[in-house]
Amino acid sequence: MTVDATSAYDDQNIFAKILRGEIPCDTIYEDDHALAFRDINPQAPIHVLVIPKGAFVSWDDFSAKADDATIAGFIRAVGEVGRMLGLVEPGYRLLANIGHDAHQEVAHLHVHLFGGAKLGPMLAR
Ligand code: 5GP
């Protein structure tokens, strides 16, 4: 089922449970603003999800409602994960799905970080 990006935040979503420690994850980075962990169904040799610690449904919700320090902290965390994984020189891809057409499945903002191989053109047609 895909997410309505305009809906209210539901704290029973799977990433909220991961943040509360109710469901395990393979954490690779954590700071005050963000948690990064490996995707359970990787689509590239390296596939990491970076999520903010606050309750935001999507990039739309986050960019509209988060305060500047929260936005800065999250974006810096995403960059830090890319550097930590040694992916800046070979390159990597970030992707955030927002709502139905983008096929967002989890209703807590997450940025996908893909790397570890040549990733090909941006979208399959
Ligand atoms: P979306 O389509 O919402 O952008 O992506 C959701 C991602 O979350 C998918 O890539 C999916 O594999 C991943 N995912 C769903 N449930 C879990 C989980 O319980 N643990 C982890 N690590 N990843 C999950």
Side-chain angles (χ1 to χ4, degrees), residues 14-15 18 37-41 47 49 97 103-106 110 112:
I14 196 103
F15 294 169
I18 284 176
F37 52 92
R38 295 193 189 277
D39 195 291
I40 205 166
N41 183 24
H47 184 176
L49 301 169
N97 293 317
H103 210 268
Q104 182 182 357
E105 290 185 317
V106 180
H110 48 286
H112 297 258

Side-chain angles (χ1 to χ4, degrees), residues 29 31-34 62 67-79:
Y29 177 82
D31 64 20
D32 289 348
H33 295 281
F62 185 67
D67 62 39
D68 290 357
T70 301
I71 290 174
F74 179 65
I75 289 178
R76 287 195 189 282
V78 174

Side-chain angles (χ1 to χ4, degrees), residues 17-123:
K17 292 179 180 179
I18 284 176
L19 278 170
R20 291 195 295 269
E22 295 167 10
I23 289 178
C25 71
D26 186 359
T27 299
I28 64 156
Y29 177 82
E30 182 169 13
D31 64 20
D32 289 348
H33 295 281
L35 178 70
F37 52 92
R38 295 193 189 277
D39 195 291
I40 205 166
N41 183 24
Q43 305 296 310
I46 296 171
H47 184 176
V48 167
L49 301 169
V50 191
I51 68 174
K53 289 194 166 172
F56 301 100
V57 174
S58 68
W59 188 275
D60 177 70
D61 190 27
F62 185 67
S63 60
K65 295 183 188 154
D67 62 39
D68 290 357
T70 301
I71 290 174
F74 179 65
I75 289 178
R76 287 195 189 282
V78 174
E80 182 59 28
V81 172
R83 284 188 292 277
M84 209 186 76
L85 292 169
L87 290 173
V88 178
E89 192 274 319
Y92 63 97
R93 179 172 295 160
L94 299 177
L95 181 147
N97 293 317
I98 297 120
H100 298 300
D101 275 7
H103 210 268
Q104 182 182 357
E105 290 185 317
V106 180
H108 182 109
L109 169 61
H110 48 286
V111 171
H112 297 258
L113 189 157
F114 302 104
K118 292 206 180 300
L119 297 169
M122 194 162 59
L123 292 174

